[in-house]
Amino acid sequence: MTDLKETLCGIARAIVDDPDSVSVEERVEGKKVNLTLHVAEDDMGMVIGKQGRIAKAIRTVMRAAASADNRDVNVEIR
């Protein structure tokens, strides 16, 4: 079983300048997993990317990881 919270943390820490400020909240409701990614305000642009491309890519990777376990995932970035 894939640990979605740790996967998202690893991806975010690789992108940002301040990896110590990265945290993820996880709420599980049956097969639905809601993840909220918190990063430093200065790193927000790096995580979102131009026109949201990085954020979209992160969500795509997380959906692929979740589908391996027949789960749905929603990633919110704050």
Side-chain angles (χ1 to χ4, degrees):
M1 183 175 237
T2 307
D3 187 358
L4 297 175
K5 182 177 178 179
E6 285 302 314
T7 303
L8 181 57
C9 264
I11 292 170
R13 285 188 177 127
I15 295 172
V16 299
D17 286 335
D18 184 10
D20 294 333
S21 69
V22 173
S23 65
V24 177
E25 291 177 30
E26 181 180 40
R27 289 181 311 278
V28 179
E29 300 164 3
K31 289 194 172 233
K32 178 91 171 158
V33 180
N34 294 308
L35 299 173
T36 304
L37 174 63
H38 298 276
V39 296
E41 195 162 327
D42 293 341
D43 291 329
M44 192 64 89
M46 292 180 177
V47 175
I48 294 173
K50 288 186 179 180
Q51 297 179 0
R53 288 186 181 137
I54 303 289
K56 184 177 179 183
I58 290 171
R59 289 183 177 112
T60 301
V61 169
M62 293 307 298
R63 266 190 245 112
S67 70
D69 297 330
N70 286 333
R71 295 189 287 174
D72 291 324
V73 68
N74 180 41
V75 177
E76 185 177 329
I77 301 170
R78 291 191 180 179

